[in-house]
Amino acid sequence: MRQKAQVSPSFVAKKNAILALLSTPESTYTDLSPKGSVDAAIKPLIDRINALDGVVTTSSCAGRVTVFLEGRKQGKGYEERGPARNDGRFGKESEQAAVPGGKGMGGKWLFVSHEPVGIFKKDEGNENLTELLGLRSSGAQNEALALSGEANEMRLARFQFEPMILHIMTASLHRAQPILAAAINAGFRESGIQSLKNLDDRTAFPMVAIRTAGLAFESLVGLIPNRTQDREDGAEIEEHVTCIVSEEYLELLVNIANERFKTNAERIQRFEQDLFKREEGLGQAWEDSNCRQERKRAEGLEQQQTLRKAQVTQERGGPSPSDIDEGIDNAGLFSSSPPP
């Protein structure tokens, strides 16, 4: 019989610290993501997972569509920040710099949304997609390409869709296994278990990374020359990212991303359903191979004994009083309850 697993005090301490951070009021909570906080779309799932024993989420993204401008290949980097938009996205009026060194010097997000993007029509007097995505319209695409110069002198802007990614720290491999199985079954096929090289470290725990590359895509949509011009006082002249594709092409990209948001949401739902079907297993220790073999052997022997009794009963033409006492009914069928 399985016994309830004991969670180490060091894991409990780490989990409590993470939960304390997540319980910080949303108005003051910040993290290293472009959004700066936990995505609302994935928070209910995170709360359910964190309520389980022996597991805790460490990072997450429900899925997002972005336009990212890569940094300069040469020259000094810079970091530019601005207030978040009311709708939670970062557009041209708010350009949050990327982590220094992560995507080149001065790389930054021009646009980030964790939900499907609305398409705005010019004839409705609304912002068009080019402007919404933080790009500048050009009279013709050839003009933008002419400004690009040599390949190593340009900075490229990419439209990207990225599906959900979720990291869950677990107290043991036994707790990690059902989470990984649920993720793969739901379609997050590039999921895996990390930190295995640190299993000898009592303060390090297996980390389940839930992810898929199948829904992700990117497309080049803009650029600026990499020829930086500085004013005499050392300040850089403002540079605009010129869109090199048509408004119709941007609309196509957004439509594809919005469809993948739907598929991503369906996979998240399947993952949640499958995971909590295994909830009982997450709260218990899994048997090692020797214990499992012994239990299966005992169950097999018991089944063989039951079959032999049933055969003897049929050969005799009816049950004996002792057979009835042991659970064989008057028709010669065994009806005892299954083993615990």
Side-chain angles (χ1 to χ4, degrees):
M1 182 180 296
R2 298 179 183 178
Q3 297 179 352
K4 189 172 182 178
Q6 297 296 322
V7 179
S8 68
S10 57
F11 179 87
V12 173
K14 282 191 173 184
K15 178 172 181 176
N16 289 339
I18 293 171
L19 295 182
L21 180 61
L22 289 175
S23 65
T24 303
E26 188 173 349
S27 59
T28 58
Y29 174 84
T30 57
D31 56 33
L32 296 179
S33 67
K35 185 174 182 291
S37 61
V38 178
D39 299 344
I42 203 174
K43 193 173 187 309
L45 174 59
I46 289 176
D47 290 341
R48 287 193 71 187
I49 292 173
N50 289 337
L52 298 175
D53 185 44
V55 297
V56 63
T57 60
T58 60
S59 64
S60 64
C61 176
R64 67 185 184 183
V65 59
T66 64
V67 176
F68 186 85
L69 173 66
E70 66 183 21
R72 292 179 176 82
K73 297 179 178 64
Q74 297 177 353
K76 62 181 180 179
Y78 65 91
E79 185 170 336
E80 181 178 359
R81 296 182 182 270
R85 295 168 56 140
N86 291 332
D87 57 3
R89 301 196 299 262
F90 290 82
K92 59 184 180 300
E93 72 266 39
S94 174
E95 300 173 333
Q96 183 169 344
V99 177
K103 297 250 183 179
M105 303 174 68
K108 57 186 176 183
W109 284 276
L110 304 178
F111 176 85
V112 179
S113 176
H114 293 265
E115 59 187 9
V117 180
I119 296 177
F120 303 92
K121 301 297 184 181
K122 292 181 181 179
D123 55 6
E124 296 176 356
N126 294 320
E127 190 177 32
N128 61 29
L129 278 176
T130 302
E131 296 170 346
L132 176 69
L133 299 178
L135 306 171
R136 186 181 69 172
S137 300
S138 62
Q141 278 69 51
N142 291 336
E143 175 187 347
L145 292 173
L147 294 173
S148 63
E150 298 295 330
N152 63 352
E153 293 181 348
M154 68 180 75
R155 298 169 63 192
L156 306 178
R158 293 180 171 86
F159 180 101
Q160 299 174 309
F161 175 80
E162 300 166 280
M164 182 193 79
I165 184 168
L166 179 62
H167 288 87
I168 303 175
M169 186 172 69
T170 63
S172 67
L173 282 173
H174 301 312
R175 285 176 171 78
Q177 189 275 337
I179 299 175
L180 178 60
I184 292 176
N185 289 342
F188 295 96
R189 301 196 180 278
E190 283 71 42
S191 300
I193 300 178
Q194 303 173 342
S195 304
L196 295 182
K197 64 182 180 180
N198 296 324
L199 287 181
D200 293 335
D201 184 352
R202 293 185 178 182
T203 63
F205 301 96
M207 183 79 70
V208 182
I210 301 172
R211 57 200 172 193
T212 179
L215 295 178
F217 78 95
E218 72 171 41
S219 177
L220 178 64
V221 294
L223 58 82
I224 58 176
N226 196 32
R227 298 184 289 273
T228 304
Q229 299 178 6
D230 296 334
R231 298 202 311 244
E232 292 182 359
D233 60 3
E236 296 174 349
I237 295 177
E238 182 181 6
E239 294 176 311
H240 296 281
V241 184
T242 302
C243 184
I244 61 173
V245 298
S246 66
E247 182 80 4
E248 291 73 20
Y249 185 75
L250 290 179
E251 184 172 338
L252 173 63
L253 294 179
V254 168
N255 284 331
I256 294 173
N258 288 345
E259 285 299 317
R260 298 200 178 187
F261 264 118
K262 296 179 183 178
T263 304
N264 181 59
E266 292 169 357
R267 293 188 182 185
I268 293 174
Q269 184 178 23
R270 290 201 301 269
F271 165 69
E272 182 173 6
Q273 292 172 346
D274 194 347
L275 173 61
F276 286 93
K277 285 180 181 178
R278 307 166 188 261
E279 181 177 351
E280 183 179 354
L282 289 174
Q284 297 176 342
W286 289 81
E287 301 165 297
D288 60 31
S289 58
N290 291 333
C291 292
R292 178 178 173 81
Q293 289 176 3
E294 288 297 325
R295 180 173 61 82
K296 290 293 186 181
R297 178 176 175 276
E299 291 175 354
L301 292 174
E302 185 173 356
Q303 291 176 357
Q304 291 177 7
Q305 185 178 9
T306 299
L307 290 174
R308 284 197 296 269
K309 287 182 179 180
Q311 291 173 355
V312 170
T313 300
Q314 290 177 354
E315 291 174 357
R316 289 201 303 255
S320 65
S322 61
D323 290 333
I324 296 175
D325 292 339
E326 292 180 10
I328 300 178
D329 63 14
N330 291 328
L333 300 177
F334 185 75
S335 60
S336 66
S337 60

